[in-house]
């Protein structure tokens, strides 16, 4: 009891602090990366085949995951009264739909190499459909938790150029575009959650439960398929590949290691995605788009 009352002033303070925060309205951008499917297993040569398979496995669930995010947020759209948030929700849906479309192209190349990954996508879809059907609040809570995951991975992609240094430019551009837009819309689903669930103890509990559940389901599903992808591609015993993988995820490059603090911050009462303000990366969008236009016309 004392624990519950002790965080209440914190929640109120966070609410007050939040009421002057500008809302960032995302922009839907229709980009087509024309990926070379022959490069699917080695598009990230510096990262090596194990790290490449890890990113490919992550890509495998993005289209069905993003469909789930769209459905979860759309289910509450009518309850949103703030016109700015309504606009942000429409743009969020547009961005996630575009991401799904581009990752479907990516995945068809991956599924040709690793048929188990296609079955994995279907399994994930069945699980997510089950959440959508049975509990809208849990689906929204899971969505903001998974959006937290994608925002952290996006932050790593944007802050650490070594993750894609020397990689095929088209694959690298797809991940960069996705990272920029995930950053741009990282608070939209969260703001919907707070608009409809509030910021009290019940909302905090549901939000925290969502992250625990999302973490268990995400890694529980992804790790076996990652291992299967490596087995199918003959890299399960590739020690050099594993060394590179650990360097990129938990070593000095540390795509995952460097986000552990940000990941845990989600459990802080009053947490908001923009408390971790990495808007500086969004300044790169115009230069990135100009570069893509040049590549498309070259
Ligand atoms: Fe996305
Ligand atoms: Fe997203």
């Amino acid at each position: 009891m004392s624990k519950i009352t002790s965080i209440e002033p914190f929640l109120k303070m966070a609410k007050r602090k939040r009421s002057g925060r500008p809302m960032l309205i995302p922009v839907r951008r229709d980009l087509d990366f024309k990926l070379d499917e022959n490069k699917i297993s080695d598009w990230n040569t510096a990262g090596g085949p194990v790290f490449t398979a890890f990113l490919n496995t992550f890509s495998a669930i993005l289209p069905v995951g993003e469909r789930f995010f769209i459905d979860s947020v759309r289910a509450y759209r009518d309850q949103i009264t703030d016109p700015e948030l309504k606009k942000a929700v429409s743009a969020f849906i547009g961005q996630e739909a575009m991401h799904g479309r581009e990752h479907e192209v990516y995945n068809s190349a991956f599924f040709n190499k690793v048929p188990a990954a296609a079955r994995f996508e279907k399994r994930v879809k069945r699980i997510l459909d089950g959440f959508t059907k049975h509990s809208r609040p849990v689906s929204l809570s899971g969505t903001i938790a998974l959006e937290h995951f994608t925002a952290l991975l996006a932050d790593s992609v944007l802050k650490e150029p070594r993750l894609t240094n020397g990689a095929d430019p088209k694959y690298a551009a797809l991940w960069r575009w996705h990272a920029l837009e995930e950053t741009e819309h990282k608070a939209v689903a969260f703001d919907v959650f707070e608009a409809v669930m509030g910021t009290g103890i019940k909302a905090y509990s549901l939000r925290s439960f969502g992250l625990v559940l999302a973490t268990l389901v995400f890694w529980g599903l992804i790790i076996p398929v990652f291992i299967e992808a490596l087995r199918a591609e003959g890299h399960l015993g590739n020690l050099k590949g594993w060394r590179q993988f650990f360097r990129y995820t938990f070593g000095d490059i540390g795509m995952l290691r460097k986000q552990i603090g940000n990941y845990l911050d989600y459990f802080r009462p009053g947490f908001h995605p923009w408390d971790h303000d990495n808007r500086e990366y969004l300044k790169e969008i115009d230069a990135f788009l100009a570069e893509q236009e040049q590549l498309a016309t070259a």
Side-chain angles (χ1 to χ4, degrees), residues 3-270:
K3 218 175 179 184
I4 290 174
T5 48
S6 71
I7 63 168
E8 281 198 302
F10 203 143
L11 289 169
K12 281 187 192 129
M13 190 183 80
K15 203 174 165 189
R16 268 203 307 278
K17 190 179 141 205
R18 198 161 308 160
S19 59
R21 185 178 280 122
M23 186 171 296
L24 222 153
I25 309 285
V27 179
R28 175 186 172 279
R29 304 176 185 89
D30 187 353
L31 272 80
D32 174 3
F33 293 93
K34 298 189 174 56
L35 301 174
D36 179 350
E37 64 177 75
N38 295 316
K39 293 184 177 168
I40 188 67
S41 300
D42 59 0
W43 63 265
N44 193 337
T45 37
V50 178
F51 182 63
T52 304
F54 176 67
L55 291 180
N56 290 350
T57 308
F58 181 46
S59 171
I61 51 165
L62 283 173
V64 290
E66 288 170 326
R67 188 73 243 166
F68 170 70
F69 303 163
I70 290 171
D71 291 343
S72 303
V73 169
R74 194 180 264 150
Y76 286 98
R77 184 152 64 173
D78 292 348
Q79 293 179 37
I80 307 291
T81 50
D82 178 345
E84 290 295 291
L85 184 53
K86 267 185 180 250
K87 255 192 256 171
V89 164
S90 298
F92 166 85
I93 291 173
Q95 283 193 337
E96 294 294 32
M98 288 293 111
H99 301 167
R101 189 194 68 188
E102 287 308 300
H103 277 274
E104 269 167 19
V105 177
Y106 184 123
N107 292 347
S108 76
F110 183 48
F111 295 167
N112 282 340
K113 285 257 176 165
V114 183
R119 295 194 292 277
F120 166 59
E121 186 199 36
K122 288 199 179 78
R123 192 159 66 239
V124 172
K125 185 178 181 317
R126 274 198 303 276
I127 292 168
L128 295 178
D129 284 350
F131 281 115
T132 305
K133 203 170 150 199
H134 294 294
S135 178
R136 292 197 319 169
V138 172
S139 297
L140 187 60
S141 171
T143 293
I144 61 171
L146 291 166
E147 279 285 282
H148 182 54
F149 269 28
T150 52
L152 299 185
L153 295 177
D155 183 63
S156 283
V157 169
L158 297 175
K159 79 151 67 116
E160 183 46 271
R162 286 181 294 175
L163 282 171
T164 49
N165 264 0
D168 175 80
K170 290 177 180 171
Y171 280 88
L174 181 143
W175 284 109
R176 188 153 202 87
W177 164 68
H178 201 160
L180 285 165
E181 294 197 347
E182 285 303 320
T183 303
E184 198 174 39
H185 75 224
K186 71 176 177 175
V188 176
F190 191 95
D191 287 341
V192 169
F193 180 88
E194 289 209 331
V196 295
M197 305 290 175
T199 53
I201 303 293
K202 256 175 90 176
Y204 172 75
S205 308
L206 178 61
R207 172 164 80 74
S208 300
F209 167 72
L211 188 62
V212 173
L213 183 69
T215 304
L216 294 174
V217 171
F218 180 84
W219 291 111
L221 287 169
I222 219 162
I223 291 170
V225 184
F226 170 46
I227 300 292
E228 175 54 30
L230 291 173
R231 200 198 54 75
E233 294 184 316
H235 293 298
L236 200 52
N238 183 335
L239 290 182
K240 186 175 173 233
W242 278 107
R243 268 200 302 276
Q244 282 166 297
F245 169 76
F246 281 109
R247 178 168 180 239
Y248 274 61
T249 50
F250 291 103
D252 64 318
I253 297 180
M255 177 187 187
L256 301 178
R257 177 182 59 79
K258 288 180 182 171
Q259 297 295 346
I260 292 172
N262 288 332
Y263 165 80
L264 292 172
D265 194 36
Y266 191 86
F267 291 110
R268 174 172 51 83

Side-chain angles (χ1 to χ4, degrees), residues 265-282:
D265 194 36
Y266 191 86
F267 291 110
R268 174 172 51 83
F271 164 86
H272 185 273
W274 283 118
D275 291 343
H276 174 215
D277 192 348
N278 59 350
R279 265 176 293 181
E280 81 223 45
Y281 298 121
L282 300 180

